[in-house]
Structures are given as C-alpha cells and as structure tokens.
Amino acid sequence: MTNHDCLSLPLWRRGHFLGLLLVLLATLPLVATAQWWRFGTDAGEPVFTDLLFNQIPALDAERKLELSRDDLESGRVIVRGRAEIGEGRIGRVEASLDAGVTWIEIPFNERGLFAFEFAPELDRLYPFRIRALSTTGVSSNELDHALDLTVARFSARDMVALAFEQLIQRYAARDQSGFMGGVADDFVGNAQALDSALSNDFRIFDAIRIQPTIRRITGQGGRYQVNFQFERQVRSVRSGELFRDRATSSMIFVRGPEGYLLHEMAAPLIFGLSDAAELATFAEAESTGAEVIHVDADGGIDKRPLGAPRQPSAPAPNGLAITNLRVVAADDILLTFRFDFPRDIDEEAERLGLNDEEYDELFFRIEVLLEMASEESGPWTQIDRDQVWDKRIGNVDRAPGTRFYRARAFDRLTGEFGPYSNVVRFP
Amino acid sequence: MAGCLGGWMKAKRFQARSGAARPWAFGVLVCGVAAQGWASETAGGAEEKAPPARGAPPGVPLIVPLAPPESLPVVGADASTLEFVFFEPERRDREFDLMVRSQFEAHGTSGPGRGASFLDSGEHWLNELDVNLRSNLGNGWQANVDSIVRHTNSRRHDPRDFSVQRLRLTFEDERHRISLGDYYASLSQFSLNRSIKGVAYQHSFGGEQYLRVTGGSFTPRWDHLHSRKSDRPIDSHVGGLRYQTAGDNYRVGLNFVAARDRSGDSVRTVEDTHRQWLPALDWSYRSHSGLQFSGEHAYASTRREQVDGSSMRLRGDAHRLAARGRLGRLGVRSRFERIDPDFLTMGGGAANDRMRYNLRTDYRLDQTWSVFAAYDWQRNNLDGDLAGTTRSQIPELGFTARGLFDRRNFTASSSLRRRMVESGGLIDRREHSDRIMMSLQDRFGEVSVRGEVEWLLNRQRSPQRDRFDDQLYRLVIDSRHLLAQGRFDLRPFLTLERQETEDPFSGETIRTHAARLDLRLLAPSDLAYGLSLEAGHTDNDVPGADNTKPRRANANLEYRPPVLRGGHLRLEAGYGDFSFSDKQRNYRERYFQMLVQLPFDNRN
C-alpha cells in the first residue's frame, strides 16, 4: 500500500463510525450497574469509585495530594467517597493518616457512601491510606489510594504561580510527559490535541527560552486567570534561525489533586503553537497586532501580527505588499521561497462565491515576480514569476555563490505593481 | 484567612521542598497574595458528627467519622463555589501585609551576532510593592484592599515605567460580597470567563445558591482607562449576571451577558466593533452510579460594525456536553462540543465553527496493568459556507504497567497515536502522523531513571515530500542524597537527549544532541546553592542551514536570613555561548540577577 493509498479512504466516514462506536461504549455504563467489566475478574474485591478531599477529586491522584490553606473548610479536610464491590457486600471502611499504623473505622451507608474529617497541620506530610473490606474479609488494595497528603501554608495564588512556572520550565526542557501532567483532563482546547501539538512543537523548534512576568492572578470558584507578559526566543530546528517575540497573554488554571492544572489558553499561545487555531479559545486583546511567532501548516516558522480577536474585514493598506520573503528549502540545484501576502485568494473566492471560471480569473490575476542580484545594491534581474495564491515560489534555479533575492506582486488586470519585499541573502 | 505572603519566594520554597521543579535561570514573578478562600458549605447534605474515634497516636490528627452523606457534591472545573474571604478567629480587627520586592538584572552580550541574543544589554530593574489591608467593619462586615504597584525601567517586564498591576477592594459579610476593581468575572465558559476591571455583587442564598451581578471593562491595564497609547486594545465593556441554584447532586446556572466595543474608538480604527447579548444555561449532575454529567447551552446575537461602515447581524448557538466518572475499574471521560460559525463570545471562551467529540476510557486490568483508548474527532465548516471542510481525528491506544518484576517503582508505558487531517475544497490536503511513544522508569535506591523513545512518522499529500520521520530519545536521571547526617541535601538532575528530524522539503536530516545537568544543594541556615550546565549541538544537513552549538551555565544562591523575617535573597549569574557554522552569527551572553523580597505585617 502506498502512502497515498492509505490516505485515500473517506476519512469522515471512518471518523463517524469509530466515534459512534466509542460513544456507544461510553454510554454502556449508564444502563448497567455491576457488570464484569466494572470489576474484572476480582469482583469480590472492593474498590473505591469516588474520593473527594473537600472539593478536590483524588480518586486518580498518584501518590501525592497537595492542598493549599485555601482548600481547607474551616481548617478541616472533609473526605467523602464511595466503596463498591461486584460480588458480595462491603463490610467495613477504614482510613489511616499514619501509613496504616492506626486504622479508624468509618461508617458507610447502603450505597457505600462515607465521610470523615480531620484538621491537619500546615506543611506536614500525612501518609494517607484508605481501604474497604468485604464481609468475607477481602480487602481493597491499600496502595491504590496511598497518598502523601500535605496542606501547604501557601495560598491558592502561590500554587497557581508555581503551576504556571513549572509548565514553562517543562516546555522549555521539551519534557512533554511532564508538561501534560500539568494539564487538566478537561482542558478546553482538548488535552489530546494539545499533546499532539506539543509533539510537533518540539520537532519544529528547540532552544526554547521564555521569561514571563506575571501581571496579576485573579480567581473565583477554583479557577484562576494568570495574565502575563512574556519574552520568548525559539530556534528553528530546520534552519537554525532564531525567532524572538514579546507579547501579553493569559491562561486559566483549575484545581487538580497535585496543585493547579492548565485549563484554557488565550492567543498568543506560548504552548502548542503548531495547532494554535484549535488550542486558543480566546484572545488577549492587548496583543492584537503584536508580531508574534507563528507556525504554519508545513512547520515553517515566521513572525506575524496577531489577528484581532474578531477578524477585521478591512482590506490591508497595500493589497499588493509582499513581506517576509524567505528561503524555506534548498538543495544544490533548486530553491523554494515563501512570503507573506495580505490577500488570500481562496478566502476571497469563498467569500465572493466565485464559480470555477471566476476563480481562475482571480487565481491568474495576481503574480509574484522574483528578482535576483549578485550585490544587494543591484543590478536586479527577474528570474521567476508565479501566482501568489499559495504564497510560495518553488523550483527556482539556484545560482552558484551568494545571491540576493527580492520579490514584488503584479496585478495583471490593472497593471499595478506592489512594493518590493525585503531582500534575502542566500546562502 | 491568611493574608499577603510573598508569592514568588514562597513558590520557590515550596518548589525546593517538594522537589517538584528544577532550578531555572529566571524565576516567575509572582507578586503578593491576598487571602482567598471559600467558605463553601458542605454540599453533601448535613453531616452530623459522630463521636471521635480513639487510638490515634500522638501527632496524628484525629479522624472524625461523619454520618454518611446521601450523595456526593458536584465538583470539577465548573464548580463555581462561593468565594468569601474571612478572617481567622484569632486575627486582629485591622491587619496589613506589605511585600517589597526588588529585582535587578544586568545583561551583557558580545560577538557579531549579538543582535539575536535573548537578552537586552544593560541594566533592568523591577520593583514592586504589594499591599494587602483587611479591616473588620463590624456587624459581620469585612473590608479588604489588595494592590500591586510596579516600577521598572525595562520593557521586558512592562510597557510602562510606573503601573498599577492590581487594585481591588472588597466588602463582604456572610451573605453579601461587593468587589470593586480587578475582578475575575466567572459566569460560565461560553458567556463570561475573564478578568475585568469593574464592580461585582454577589448575594448568597445559602449553600451553592447565589446571584452574581457584574459589570466593567475588559481592558487589561489600569492605565488604558485613561491613556490613548497605541498599545491600548479596543475599548470594550461588559455586564452580566448569573443565578445559580444547586441541590445535593446537581447544579444549574442561568447566565446573561451583554457586551459592546466602543464604536469609533480613535486608537483602534481598523478593527470591526461588536455589540452582543448572550444568554447561557449551564448545568451539572452527579448520578448515583458515580458518573458526573455537565453541559452548557448558549446563544449569541451579535451586531458587527465593519470598518467600511457596513454592518451585519450574527446569530449562533453553542453547546457542550461532558460526562466523566469511574465505574469500578473503568474510567470514562467524554466530551461533545458544537459551536456555530456565527457564535461569537466577547467574554467567554470558544473556538467557533467547530464540532468535536472526544472520548477517553481507561481500564485497570489488575494491580499491574492498565490500558487506555482515546479518540478525538472534529470538523469545521458546519454551515457549508466554506469551499472546503477540514476534518481531523486523533485515535490513541496505550498501556501502563506498574510494579513489573516485583519492583514497586518500575513503570513501563507505551502508546500509539495517529493524527489525521483532511482538508477538502480548493486545496486538497491529507496528512497523517503516527506517534509511537515508549517510556520506562525505575528507582534504584536514591536514583530514579526514566528513558523515553518517541517516533513521529509523518505522511502527507502535498507539493513537498510525502513522508518524513522524526525520532526522539531521552534519558532522565534524578536523585537525592542526604549528606553529613542529613544536614545537606544534594539533588542532581541530568537529562540527555538526542533528536533526529527529517526536513520535509529537502529530505535532509537534522540531528540534535543536548545534555543538561542541574545540581541543587540545600544547606543548613536556609541556604540553597544551584548550578546548571547545558550543552547542545545541532548538525543540520539542510543546504543553507547553519550548524549550531549552544553552551549555557548558571550558578545561583538563595538565602533566607532570619533577620529578614521570612524575606528572601537570591543571586544568580549566568553565561551563554552560541556558536554557528556561520561565524558572523556567533554571540555570547552574560547576566547577573539579584532578587530581594521583604515582607512586613502588623501581626508581631
């Protein structure tokens, strides 16, 4: 099977089918109670299916649970939960704060719900254990919910700031699994899409340096928004070119078992740039128009003004200006250039509802003319022309030695030329 | 609740103690903290106290069993619990906390390519004063003033020399809360979920039932309210209210938001302006099976005034549904979202023109093995107005094994994820990318080791090459050693990394090797020493591209002398050498950083 063959199946049909199947699987639990798949082959072993420390879900916490003083309810931790069993009955629920040296019996009701409380000291570690026993004496695994519990003296805002700092450190260190440990399961831009975008980010650039300055942290109801200014530099893996930008952005954090977790990101993004359109769910208005690092669909890096949160409909001041001309690929024989152009031919065609003939007319109307010189001061010779629609000039014959390149657009209908682009020196 | 205590410093202490993060060249600047808390009442119904159990050893807090609840409360990111700031009983009627924080940085760059340096040559100051005042007004009312004032000479930190970063005044008693100034207006995801400057009032009816009313400006900076500087965003205002009612295991919120941009804003003349109203209903429910369901349904009617003078009306709706929970060994998380192309939200968060569903299930086979499957599907062009539609899918399968070979800390995990994107229309683009990841980790005494291998196999139908592969290999060694009868705590951290990336245009390979060593020594008298060394090398076979060789080093010292009463001093010096095959790009960096943080209060 060729690469193209394996891509030729109707993707949307496969998507719907697989999605429907998975949704059906997800709804099965709603109509069943204690099936084999809930308890596996150990149906006689009790399990905990809910565990809350005040408002913090801790069922899936792994070994650590860190609360802040703001998480306490009148100085107390109230633990609520549920123990269930597939076959038989729950006979006993016990909890310990000293790694199982002392167990305290906790009353529970017919549905396995229970609650207890304690008043912890700040900054002290409590090796928490909880277990349920069936009436036949089978115990749940204590290690499933063995948590080192601490209540830090710090405020929720301190913990949010720490979570923010750790995300930046892990991103700069390209520690993807560590980074995703700081992301909420219900991340609004979709955690799986963010994970996938990080994989691409780390292939596209390295030597990541981010210096944030937090402006303020505001919060309500377990959510905190961090507003910050950042100074950033990344290096393109492919070209070795350094890119640097400065802007303001925001992130929203929510409470997780081990601190605060990333829940939402604003544009401009500092994480997941290779899928920015999917991951940013709002825009930081102050950064509108700021030149920020942008990653295109081919993994090319450049700097572009951040679009308005709601796109302006006005035409660009000069509709024929070619900017940011750059070499994106080269071998011994050929060069490929990319550039920025304020008009998008396909978008215009879509907006105007052009038919094929009208589209062709628009497609061939505006050209890009590429010129080359041996010296930056000229003289310049036109060496190629192409349509602007894909903002790319490919298969340009490479001349030996160092050469200078520039481009400008030409409207065949009006005979108007655009201004010259920046000059590119290559190699 | 406790008051203003140094954010950055405490975060560093917290980090040092927990070992949760590595030392780093620059700290995050977190300014002082106002006490926040929430006096949420237990939503699980009345929990009567049973007699305390006996038998807890000294030093272990007493576990007090409570009467079992009838249901469990709804929790999670949508849980908009009340936020009231209360004094601790032993506190005075009037309290203040001040935090003075001063940071100095000196940057130096040299070499022909120094213009590309991350640092700006020269001296950079950042000074902040964080003030938190609390006063008991009587009759159960309390007042709180919370502000941060900043001075800097560096545009790396702020666009202005002098600025007010935060200013907030709150009055509250058990049922009422009035906020003025900086306020996080959190109504619901789609309607309003943003920091504003304005006023808010919240009336609690008991439990989680409340009415919240707010209004203000979206402007992110105080000086924007009176300046005409070009960096000021378009002038936007918002008003909104939320009524929430809740029972033992459900919560429902009704939201209404009206927002508008100022027409004819003289600073922002090339942007469209909008006026909108947006009602939204959000809800969550916790079933007896333990599954938690939540959702939101919103409608937005927006009038857009375009810069060419024309106007248009946009109407659209947005819906999201989510389910999550654990049923025995099976964990389920599922989410569906549909955002109309014409649904715009000025104060909420949503990516419009999207339909997406996502499902993740994990299943614990036994004490050792667990498996998971995840699937994400989305598309745009919901109303068919675009010439082409983009669809993407991300299926993923994986497993984790813990405690293999009778080693409690041994963990092996692997996953296979495919990302498929198909764009139709005028440009036919299809691509898929397979990511195969394997990770092994274990602990040998005081040394923990983690190895990761990741392959990214990309296939696409495009004018460029149709296949290119990337590989990443990473080894992380982390350890902790107590020396001199535990008086010194040494924490080395080593990362080795190799990456091979194939350039999609030329097919040439780019090989990157990187190594990083962090050493942190915690000594008596609240002293901590840090050393960080980093070296890398990139061999780039792409024609015209440079090979690069960065080297960086920094040393730092943190000290909390008792005389500063919780204050903090940090010194750091660093050096970087960045070499390229084109010598004209070479440059070097040097920097020195000093941070002093001094807290004051009236409690002692």
Side-chain angles (χ1 to χ4, degrees), chain A residues 142-198:
Chain A
E142 289 171 28
L143 297 180
D144 279 353
H145 308 290
L147 302 172
D148 287 340
L149 169 72
T150 50
V151 181
R153 191 173 298 278
F154 313 112
S155 69
R157 279 193 203 160
D158 291 334
M159 293 183 75
V160 171
L162 178 65
F164 175 68
E165 182 188 15
Q166 286 180 346
L167 281 181
I168 289 176
Q169 287 177 7
R170 289 166 183 170
Y171 187 76
R174 309 200 314 164
D175 176 5
Q176 186 167 346
S177 52
F179 182 96
M180 290 307 296
V183 177
D185 295 339
D186 53 355
F187 173 72
V188 175
N190 190 301
Q192 210 177 350
L194 174 59
D195 194 21
S196 178
L198 291 180

Coordinates of all heavy atoms in Angstrom, one line a residue, chain A residues 142-198:
Chain A
E142 N -4.6 -1.3 49.4 CA -4.3 0.0 50.1 C -3.5 0.9 49.3 O -3.6 2.1 49.4 CB -3.5 -0.3 51.4 CG -4.4 -1.0 52.5 CD -3.4 -1.4 53.6 OE1 -2.4 -0.8 53.8 OE2 -3.8 -2.4 54.3
L143 N -2.7 0.3 48.4 CA -1.7 1.1 47.7 C -2.4 1.9 46.5 O -1.9 2.8 46.0 CB -0.6 0.3 47.1 CG 0.3 -0.4 48.1 CD1 1.4 -1.2 47.5 CD2 0.9 0.7 49.0
D144 N -3.7 1.5 46.2 CA -4.4 2.2 45.1 C -4.6 3.6 45.5 O -4.6 4.5 44.6 CB -5.8 1.5 44.9 CG -5.6 0.3 44.0 OD1 -4.5 0.0 43.5 OD2 -6.6 -0.4 43.9
H145 N -4.8 3.9 46.7 CA -5.1 5.3 47.1 C -4.2 5.7 48.3 O -4.6 6.3 49.3 CB -6.6 5.5 47.5 CG -7.5 5.0 46.5 ND1 -7.6 5.7 45.3 CD2 -8.3 3.9 46.4 CE1 -8.5 5.0 44.5 NE2 -8.9 3.9 45.1
A146 N -2.9 5.3 48.2 CA -1.9 5.6 49.2 C -1.4 7.0 48.8 O -0.7 7.1 47.8 CB -0.8 4.6 49.2
L147 N -1.7 8.0 49.5 CA -1.4 9.4 49.1 C -0.6 10.1 50.2 O -0.9 10.0 51.4 CB -2.6 10.2 48.9 CG -3.6 9.7 47.8 CD1 -4.9 10.5 47.9 CD2 -3.0 9.7 46.5
D148 N 0.5 10.7 49.8 CA 1.2 11.6 50.7 C 0.5 13.0 50.7 O 0.6 13.7 49.7 CB 2.7 11.8 50.3 CG 3.5 10.5 50.5 OD1 3.0 9.7 51.4 OD2 4.5 10.3 49.9
L149 N -0.2 13.2 51.8 CA -1.1 14.4 51.8 C -0.4 15.5 52.6 O 0.2 15.3 53.6 CB -2.4 14.0 52.5 CG -3.3 15.2 52.9 CD1 -3.9 15.8 51.7 CD2 -4.3 14.8 53.9
T150 N -0.3 16.7 51.9 CA 0.2 17.9 52.6 C -0.8 19.0 52.4 O -1.4 19.1 51.4 CB 1.6 18.3 52.1 OG1 1.5 18.4 50.7 CG2 2.7 17.4 52.5
V151 N -0.8 19.9 53.4 CA -1.6 21.2 53.3 C -0.5 22.3 53.4 O 0.1 22.5 54.5 CB -2.6 21.3 54.4 CG1 -3.4 22.6 54.2 CG2 -3.6 20.1 54.3
A152 N -0.3 22.9 52.3 CA 0.8 23.9 52.3 C 0.3 25.2 52.9 O -0.9 25.5 52.9 CB 1.2 24.2 50.8
R153 N 1.3 25.9 53.4 CA 1.0 27.2 54.0 C 0.6 28.3 52.9 O 0.1 29.3 53.2 CB 2.2 27.7 54.8 CG 2.0 28.9 55.7 CD 3.3 29.1 56.5 NE 3.6 27.9 57.4 CZ 3.0 27.7 58.6 NH1 2.1 28.6 59.0 NH2 3.3 26.6 59.3
F154 N 1.0 27.9 51.7 CA 0.8 28.9 50.6 C -0.6 29.0 50.2 O -1.5 28.2 50.4 CB 1.6 28.4 49.4 CG 3.0 28.0 49.8 CD1 3.4 26.7 49.7 CD2 3.9 28.9 50.3 CE1 4.6 26.3 50.1 CE2 5.1 28.5 50.7 CZ 5.5 27.2 50.6
S155 N -0.9 30.2 49.6 CA -2.2 30.4 49.2 C -2.5 29.8 47.8 O -1.5 29.3 47.2 CB -2.4 32.0 49.0 OG -1.7 32.4 47.9
A156 N -3.7 29.8 47.4 CA -4.0 29.2 46.1 C -3.3 29.9 45.0 O -2.8 29.3 44.0 CB -5.5 29.3 45.9
R157 N -3.1 31.3 45.1 CA -2.4 32.0 44.1 C -1.0 31.6 44.0 O -0.4 31.6 42.9 CB -2.5 33.5 44.4 CG -3.9 34.1 44.0 CD -3.8 35.6 44.0 NE -5.1 36.2 44.1 CZ -5.3 37.4 44.5 NH1 -4.3 38.1 44.9 NH2 -6.5 37.8 44.6
D158 N -0.4 31.3 45.1 CA 1.0 30.9 45.1 C 1.1 29.6 44.3 O 2.0 29.3 43.5 CB 1.6 30.6 46.5 CG 1.7 31.9 47.3 OD1 1.9 32.9 46.7 OD2 1.7 31.8 48.5
M159 N 0.1 28.7 44.5 CA 0.2 27.4 43.9 C -0.1 27.5 42.4 O 0.4 26.8 41.6 CB -0.8 26.4 44.5 CG -0.5 26.1 45.9 SD -1.6 24.9 46.7 CE -1.1 23.4 45.9
V160 N -1.0 28.5 42.0 CA -1.2 28.7 40.6 C 0.1 29.2 39.9 O 0.4 28.8 38.9 CB -2.4 29.8 40.4 CG1 -2.5 30.2 39.0 CG2 -3.7 29.2 40.9
A161 N 0.8 30.2 40.6 CA 2.0 30.7 40.1 C 3.0 29.6 39.9 O 3.8 29.6 38.9 CB 2.5 31.8 41.0
L162 N 3.1 28.7 40.9 CA 4.0 27.6 40.8 C 3.7 26.7 39.6 O 4.6 26.3 38.8 CB 4.0 26.8 42.1 CG 4.9 25.6 42.1 CD1 6.4 26.0 42.0 CD2 4.7 24.8 43.4
A163 N 2.4 26.4 39.4 CA 2.0 25.6 38.3 C 2.3 26.2 37.0 O 2.8 25.5 36.1 CB 0.5 25.3 38.4
F164 N 2.2 27.5 36.9 CA 2.5 28.2 35.7 C 4.0 28.2 35.4 O 4.4 27.9 34.3 CB 2.0 29.7 35.9 CG 2.4 30.6 34.8 CD1 1.8 30.5 33.5 CD2 3.3 31.6 35.0 CE1 2.1 31.4 32.5 CE2 3.6 32.5 34.0 CZ 3.1 32.4 32.7
E165 N 4.8 28.4 36.4 CA 6.2 28.3 36.3 C 6.7 26.9 35.9 O 7.5 26.8 35.0 CB 6.9 28.7 37.6 CG 8.4 28.7 37.5 CD 9.1 28.9 38.8 OE1 8.4 28.8 39.9 OE2 10.3 29.2 38.8
Q166 N 6.1 25.9 36.5 CA 6.5 24.5 36.1 C 6.2 24.2 34.7 O 6.9 23.5 34.0 CB 5.8 23.6 37.1 CG 6.5 23.6 38.4 CD 5.8 22.6 39.4 OE1 4.7 22.1 39.1 NE2 6.4 22.3 40.5
L167 N 5.0 24.7 34.2 CA 4.7 24.4 32.8 C 5.7 25.0 31.9 O 6.1 24.4 30.9 CB 3.3 25.0 32.5 CG 2.1 24.2 32.9 CD1 0.8 24.9 32.5 CD2 2.1 22.8 32.4
I168 N 6.1 26.2 32.2 CA 7.1 26.9 31.3 C 8.4 26.2 31.4 O 9.1 25.9 30.3 CB 7.3 28.4 31.7 CG1 6.0 29.1 31.3 CG2 8.5 29.0 31.1 CD1 5.9 30.6 31.7
Q169 N 8.8 25.7 32.5 CA 10.1 25.0 32.7 C 10.1 23.7 31.9 O 11.0 23.3 31.2 CB 10.4 24.7 34.1 CG 10.8 25.9 34.9 CD 11.0 25.5 36.4 OE1 10.9 24.4 36.8 NE2 11.2 26.5 37.2
R170 N 9.0 23.0 32.0 CA 8.9 21.7 31.3 C 8.8 21.9 29.8 O 9.3 21.1 29.0 CB 7.6 20.9 31.8 CG 7.9 20.4 33.2 CD 6.6 20.0 33.9 NE 6.8 19.6 35.2 CZ 5.8 19.3 36.1 NH1 4.6 19.4 35.7 NH2 6.1 19.0 37.3
Y171 N 8.1 22.9 29.4 CA 8.0 23.2 27.9 C 9.4 23.6 27.4 O 9.8 23.1 26.4 CB 7.0 24.3 27.7 CG 6.7 24.6 26.2 CD1 5.9 23.8 25.5 CD2 7.3 25.7 25.6 CE1 5.6 24.0 24.2 CE2 7.0 25.9 24.3 CZ 6.2 25.1 23.6 OH 5.9 25.3 22.2
A172 N 10.1 24.4 28.1 CA 11.4 24.8 27.7 C 12.4 23.6 27.7 O 13.3 23.5 26.8 CB 12.0 25.9 28.6
A173 N 12.2 22.7 28.6 CA 13.0 21.5 28.6 C 12.5 20.4 27.7 O 13.0 19.3 27.6 CB 13.1 20.9 30.0
R174 N 11.4 20.7 27.0 CA 10.8 19.8 26.0 C 10.4 18.5 26.7 O 10.5 17.4 26.1 CB 11.7 19.6 24.8 CG 12.2 20.9 24.2 CD 12.7 20.9 22.8 NE 13.5 19.8 22.5 CZ 13.8 19.4 21.3 NH1 13.3 20.0 20.3 NH2 14.6 18.4 21.1
D175 N 10.0 18.6 27.9 CA 9.6 17.4 28.7 C 8.0 17.3 28.5 O 7.2 17.8 29.3 CB 9.9 17.7 30.2 CG 9.4 16.5 31.0 OD1 8.9 15.5 30.5 OD2 9.6 16.7 32.3
Q176 N 7.7 16.6 27.5 CA 6.3 16.5 27.1 C 5.4 15.8 28.1 O 4.3 16.3 28.4 CB 6.1 15.8 25.7 CG 4.7 15.9 25.2 CD 4.7 15.4 23.7 OE1 5.7 15.4 23.1 NE2 3.5 15.2 23.2
S177 N 5.9 14.6 28.6 CA 5.0 13.9 29.6 C 4.9 14.7 30.9 O 3.9 14.7 31.5 CB 5.6 12.5 29.8 OG 7.0 12.6 30.2
G178 N 6.0 15.4 31.3 CA 5.9 16.2 32.4 C 5.0 17.3 32.3 O 4.2 17.7 33.1
F179 N 5.0 17.9 31.1 CA 4.1 19.1 30.8 C 2.7 18.6 30.8 O 1.8 19.3 31.5 CB 4.4 19.6 29.4 CG 3.6 20.8 29.0 CD1 4.1 22.1 29.2 CD2 2.4 20.7 28.5 CE1 3.4 23.2 28.9 CE2 1.6 21.8 28.2 CZ 2.1 23.1 28.4
M180 N 2.4 17.5 30.2 CA 1.0 17.1 30.2 C 0.4 16.7 31.6 O -0.8 16.7 31.8 CB 0.8 15.9 29.2 CG 1.0 16.3 27.7 SD -0.1 17.7 27.2 CE -1.7 17.0 27.4
G181 N 1.4 16.4 32.5 CA 1.0 16.2 33.9 C 0.4 17.4 34.5 O -0.3 17.3 35.5
G182 N 0.7 18.6 33.9 CA 0.2 19.8 34.5 C -1.1 20.4 33.7 O -1.4 21.5 33.9
V183 N -1.7 19.5 32.9 CA -2.8 19.9 32.1 C -4.1 19.2 32.6 O -4.0 18.0 32.8 CB -2.6 19.6 30.6 CG1 -3.8 20.0 29.8 CG2 -1.3 20.4 30.1
A184 N -5.1 19.9 32.7 CA -6.4 19.3 33.2 C -7.0 18.4 32.1 O -6.8 18.6 30.9 CB -7.4 20.4 33.5
D185 N -7.6 17.3 32.6 CA -8.2 16.4 31.7 C -9.2 17.1 30.7 O -9.4 16.7 29.6 CB -9.0 15.3 32.4 CG -8.1 14.5 33.3 OD1 -6.9 14.4 33.0 OD2 -8.5 13.8 34.2
D186 N -9.9 18.0 31.3 CA -11.0 18.7 30.5 C -10.5 20.1 30.0 O -11.2 21.0 29.9 CB -12.2 18.9 31.4 CG -12.0 19.6 32.7 OD1 -10.8 19.8 33.0 OD2 -12.9 19.9 33.4
F187 N -9.2 20.1 29.6 CA -8.6 21.3 29.0 C -9.5 21.7 27.9 O -9.9 20.9 27.0 CB -7.2 21.0 28.5 CG -6.6 22.0 27.7 CD1 -6.1 23.2 28.3 CD2 -6.4 21.9 26.3 CE1 -5.6 24.2 27.5 CE2 -5.8 22.9 25.6 CZ -5.4 24.0 26.2
V188 N -9.9 23.0 27.8 CA -11.0 23.4 26.9 C -10.6 23.2 25.4 O -11.4 22.9 24.6 CB -11.3 24.9 27.2 CG1 -12.3 25.4 26.2 CG2 -11.9 25.0 28.6
G189 N -9.3 23.5 25.1 CA -8.9 23.3 23.7 C -8.6 21.8 23.4 O -8.2 21.5 22.3
N190 N -8.9 20.9 24.3 CA -8.8 19.5 24.1 C -7.3 19.0 24.5 O -6.4 19.3 23.7 CB -9.1 19.0 22.7 CG -9.2 17.5 22.7 OD1 -8.2 16.8 23.0 ND2 -10.4 17.0 22.3
A191 N -7.2 18.2 25.5 CA -5.9 17.8 26.0 C -5.2 16.9 25.0 O -3.9 17.0 24.8 CB -6.0 17.1 27.3
Q192 N -5.9 16.1 24.3 CA -5.3 15.3 23.3 C -4.7 16.1 22.1 O -3.6 15.8 21.6 CB -6.3 14.3 22.7 CG -5.7 13.0 22.3 CD -6.8 12.0 21.9 OE1 -8.0 12.2 22.1 NE2 -6.4 10.9 21.3
A193 N -5.4 17.1 21.7 CA -4.9 18.0 20.7 C -3.7 18.8 21.1 O -2.8 19.0 20.4 CB -6.0 19.0 20.2
L194 N -3.7 19.1 22.4 CA -2.5 19.9 22.9 C -1.3 18.9 23.0 O -0.2 19.3 22.6 CB -2.8 20.4 24.3 CG -1.7 21.0 25.1 CD1 -1.1 22.2 24.3 CD2 -2.1 21.5 26.5
D195 N -1.5 17.7 23.4 CA -0.4 16.7 23.4 C 0.1 16.5 22.0 O 1.4 16.5 21.8 CB -1.0 15.4 24.0 CG 0.1 14.4 24.4 OD1 1.3 14.9 24.6 OD2 -0.1 13.2 24.5
S196 N -0.8 16.4 21.1 CA -0.3 16.2 19.7 C 0.4 17.5 19.2 O 1.5 17.3 18.5 CB -1.5 15.9 18.8 OG -1.2 15.8 17.5
A197 N -0.1 18.6 19.5 CA 0.6 19.9 19.1 C 2.0 20.0 19.7 O 2.9 20.5 19.1 CB -0.2 21.1 19.5
L198 N 2.1 19.5 21.0 CA 3.5 19.6 21.6 C 4.5 18.7 20.9 O 5.6 19.1 20.7 CB 3.4 19.2 23.1 CG 2.6 20.1 24.1 CD1 2.6 19.5 25.4 CD2 3.2 21.5 24.1

